[in-house]
């Protein structure tokens, strides 16, 4: 970076951090810090909740992945990645059913009531791994706009961004997270519009929107993977599911539906950055937004960096607040049968500080950003039968464990390359991923229903013996 570029990028980062801290409200009680209520105890409004869900699920790494897939496969790649946002309405509807049918106040409480305390603890462990990955994978994306991995600018920007986000998260917890999400959503939309203003006129619109082929070896296999994961992927992300319990059921459902549809559109639109690179022969080099920004000049690169900072900030503050709630509220209730009274805000603050430090260690170790999404998404495929078919049982711990741990096992086998080649569906890059998710869903579903079938058969045998 020359002096002008450095002044612009570092200046915006500092201004962003100061403004976010100044505008974010301060929580004065635990209900506000952990549940997002205002000082009078009123829940989050519908449109604030919608904006929060919309922007907090548009991770910095996600929009980068969407653009990279657009560069690799055209609009098919963009549609494939954008389809993950359709899981938000799916999650909203299932949480709506859980709340109205069971009265549960959290997913952990629901799992405990149907599948036992060990099931809820296993679920909690899975989401903690997900949250841990969200810290470094988002700060690393921001650092990438200031320098390359290994350079001091890369690490300095990532850590300064972490400090700014941590500061306003400590100030207000979930309340400040949702409040700043609204601001970040408007900034994100504005700068994505600015990027499109530069990209669309540079291409033939029909070519931009039609580039790509719906073939298994051309990105369509990833689209099918996304559709299969609609029923499992969102449930291991408390950044999303925590927001399913902060307002009335119908208000929550409306927010989830609108946010999911807006997210789908926004991510697909941003994937056109990658399609632009594909049409114009720009080498993506693993970061299509940065490559396109550099090719279009300083203004475009700055716009891209603002998009990344706002999306990363909204995700990171939500991650800190979800970690605080998971470790300060949910886990103590599970492990120690704690009372319903919320803990001190200081407990959640300590959790945030610890994970702000530990969560960035993988970035210094040079871990691949994509691993934060691809591995965990497949491992939790066993959650799909649990949340889809819970109404078939009032109490069945074995149903959860046979489904959940089978999914974890298949995910580990996939990550270590031990799945037989015969499982692959098609010959594309994601053929094995598609096969494991397709066959894995069927195997996990069989595991879920097996204890129910055995119980019913055993009951019939007992009844026949009594006759």
């Amino acid at each position: 970076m020359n002096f002008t570029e450095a002044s612009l990028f570092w200046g915006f980062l500092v201004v962003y951090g100061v403004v976010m801290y100044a505008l974010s409200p301060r929580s004065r009680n635990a209900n506000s810090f952990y549940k997002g209520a205002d000082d009078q105890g009123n829940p989050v409004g519908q449109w604030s909740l919608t904006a929060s869900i919309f922007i907090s699920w548009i991770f910095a790494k996600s929009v980068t992945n969407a653009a990279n897939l657009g560069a690799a496969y055209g609009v098919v790649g963009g549609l494939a990645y954008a389809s993950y946002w359709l899981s938000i309405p799916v999650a909203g509807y299932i949480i709506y059913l859980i709340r109205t049918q069971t009265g549960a106040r959290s997913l952990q409480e629901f799992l405990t009531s149907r599948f036992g305390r060990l099931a809820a603890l296993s679920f909690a462990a899975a989401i903690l791994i997900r949250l841990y990955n969200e810290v470094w994978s988002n700060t690393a994306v921001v650092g990438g706009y200031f320098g390359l991995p290994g350079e001091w600018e890369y690490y300095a920007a990532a850590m300064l961004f972490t400090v700014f986000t941590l500061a306003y998260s400590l100030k207000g917890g979930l309340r400040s997270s949702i409040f700043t999400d609204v601001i970040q959503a408007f900034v994100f939309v504005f700068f994505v519009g600015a990027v499109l203003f530069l990209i669309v006129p540079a291409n033939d619109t029909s070519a931009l929107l039609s580039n790509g082929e719906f073939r298994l070896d051309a990105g369509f296999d990833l689209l099918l993977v996304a559709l299969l994961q609609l029923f499992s992927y969102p449930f291991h992300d408390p950044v999303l599911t925590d927001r399913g319990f902060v307002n009335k059921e119908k208000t929550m459902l409306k927010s989830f539906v609108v946010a999911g549809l807006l997210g789908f559109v926004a991510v697909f639109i941003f994937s056109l950055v990658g399609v632009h690179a594909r049409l114009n022969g720009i080498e993506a080099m693993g970061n299509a937004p940065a490559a396109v920004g550099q090719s279009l000049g300083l203004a475009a690169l700055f716009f891209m960096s603002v998009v990344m900072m706002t999306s990363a900030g909204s995700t990171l503050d939500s991650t800190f607040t979800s970690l605080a709630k998971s470790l300060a509220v949910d886990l103590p209730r599970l492990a120690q049968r704690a009372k319903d009274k919320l803990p001190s805000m200081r407990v959640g603050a300590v959790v945030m500080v610890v994970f702000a430090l530990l969560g960035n260690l993988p970035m210094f170790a040079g871990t691949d950003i994509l691993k934060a999404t691809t591995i965990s998404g497949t491992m939790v495929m066993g959650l799909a039968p649990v949340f889809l078919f819970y109404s078939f049982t009032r109490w069945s711990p074995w149903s959860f464990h046979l489904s959940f741990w089978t999914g974890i096992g298949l995910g580990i086998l996939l990550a270590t390359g031990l799945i037989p080649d015969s499982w692959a569906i098609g010959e594309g890059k994601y053929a094995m991923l598609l096969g494991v998710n397709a066959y894995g869903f069927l195997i996990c579903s069989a595991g879920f229903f097996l204890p129910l079938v055995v119980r019913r058969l055993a009951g019939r045998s007992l009844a026949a013996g009594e006759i």
Side-chain angles (χ1 to χ4, degrees):
M1 282 188 181
N2 57 39
F3 180 77
T4 301
E5 293 173 339
S7 299
L8 181 63
F9 282 76
W10 286 100
F12 177 81
L13 179 56
V14 172
V15 170
Y16 167 84
V18 172
V19 170
M20 287 295 103
Y21 183 83
L23 294 180
S24 62
R26 184 180 299 278
S27 288
R28 304 189 185 280
N29 55 66
N31 192 46
S32 176
F33 190 85
Y34 292 110
K35 295 188 175 182
D38 62 19
D39 291 338
Q40 288 73 43
N42 299 313
V44 183
Q46 179 180 337
W47 293 111
S48 294
L49 182 59
T50 301
S52 179
I53 296 169
F54 165 74
I55 192 63
S56 63
W57 236 51
I58 298 183
F59 320 126
K61 69 176 186 295
S62 296
V63 288
T64 300
N65 290 344
N68 288 343
L69 287 167
Y73 302 111
V75 293
V76 178
L79 282 173
Y81 210 77
S83 294
Y84 277 100
W85 274 256
L86 297 179
S87 66
I88 297 178
V90 171
Y93 181 66
I94 292 176
I95 291 174
Y96 172 83
L97 293 178
I98 288 173
R99 291 181 62 184
T100 54
Q101 293 176 358
T102 71
R105 295 168 296 175
S106 69
L107 290 185
Q108 285 85 351
E109 183 178 312
F110 159 72
L111 291 171
T112 302
S113 67
R114 294 274 171 141
F115 305 105
R117 194 171 299 274
L118 182 58
L121 286 171
S122 301
F123 175 75
I127 64 176
L128 284 176
I129 294 172
R130 165 65 186 262
L131 289 172
Y132 180 80
N133 282 334
E134 289 302 338
V135 177
W136 63 267
S137 62
N138 280 282
T139 58
V141 171
V142 174
Y145 282 83
F146 292 81
L148 296 174
E151 297 178 348
W152 72 267
E153 294 93 343
Y154 173 85
Y155 299 113
M159 294 310 297
L160 184 60
F161 178 75
T162 301
V163 169
F164 283 142
T165 308
L166 177 64
Y168 73 77
S169 298
L170 290 172
K171 182 181 179 183
L174 184 57
R175 183 184 178 191
S176 69
S177 175
I178 292 177
F179 181 86
T180 54
D181 281 348
V182 176
I183 300 172
Q184 289 157 341
F186 280 104
V187 174
F188 174 85
V189 170
F190 176 81
F191 279 94
V192 167
V195 170
L196 284 179
F197 182 77
L198 295 174
I199 287 177
V200 173
N203 298 276
D204 178 76
T205 306
S206 61
L208 193 66
L209 295 175
S210 61
N211 185 267
E213 299 179 77
F214 286 88
R215 302 195 324 266
L216 284 177
D217 60 351
F220 187 63
D221 48 0
L222 183 60
L223 175 58
L224 294 178
V225 170
L227 295 178
L228 283 170
Q229 291 187 354
L230 289 184
F231 305 101
S232 59
Y233 190 81
F235 291 105
H236 84 306
D237 183 11
V239 167
L240 176 67
T241 57
D242 283 352
R243 285 158 170 74
F245 295 87
V246 300
N247 210 319
K248 295 180 180 179
E249 291 88 346
K250 288 186 177 180
T251 301
M252 175 276 300
L253 181 57
K254 292 176 183 177
S255 295
F256 269 62
V257 171
V258 174
L261 295 177
L262 289 176
F264 173 84
V265 172
V267 173
F268 174 72
I269 287 175
F270 197 80
S271 73
L272 297 179
V273 170
V275 181
H276 168 83
R278 178 182 171 94
L279 290 173
N280 291 274
I282 300 171
E283 183 64 38
M285 297 180 294
N287 192 340
V292 171
Q294 290 171 349
S295 72
L296 293 175
L298 180 59
L301 184 60
F302 176 68
F303 293 163
M304 296 289 187
S305 69
V306 173
V307 169
M308 295 305 162
M309 285 186 210
T310 52
S311 59
S314 65
T315 302
L316 190 58
D317 63 44
S318 298
T319 298
F320 286 147
T321 56
S322 289
L323 279 165
K325 180 176 178 292
S326 295
L327 289 172
V329 180
D330 295 333
L331 276 180
R333 287 180 178 175
L334 287 173
Q336 302 173 6
R337 300 177 182 270
K339 296 180 180 179
D340 288 343
K341 183 180 179 181
L342 293 171
S344 164
M345 292 186 289
R346 187 173 300 174
V347 179
V350 170
V351 171
M352 291 184 186
V353 173
V354 169
F355 274 87
L357 295 173
L358 297 181
N360 276 302
L361 292 180
M363 176 186 66
F364 289 96
T367 307
D368 184 1
I369 291 174
L370 288 176
K371 291 181 180 178
T373 301
T374 54
I375 295 176
S376 63
T378 298
M379 285 184 177
V380 296
M381 71 175 79
L383 291 176
V386 172
F387 289 104
L388 282 176
F389 308 130
Y390 73 86
S391 61
F392 284 87
T393 179
R394 293 284 182 180
W395 177 257
S396 183
W398 276 107
S399 290
F400 175 90
H401 292 293
L402 288 176
S403 179
F404 178 76
W405 293 109
T406 297
I408 294 290
L410 289 172
I412 292 173
L413 291 175
L414 176 64
T416 54
L418 297 177
I419 298 291
D421 292 340
S422 58
W423 281 48
I425 298 178
E427 298 179 354
K429 179 179 179 180
Y430 303 99
M432 185 60 73
L433 185 65
L434 174 58
V436 172
N437 277 271
Y439 299 132
F441 175 77
L442 296 176
I443 295 171
C444 290
S445 296
F448 181 88
F449 283 107
L450 180 61
L452 306 183
V453 173
V454 170
R455 185 188 305 168
R456 176 162 293 188
L457 292 175
R460 288 181 178 176
S461 299
L462 181 61
E466 291 173 351
I467 293 174

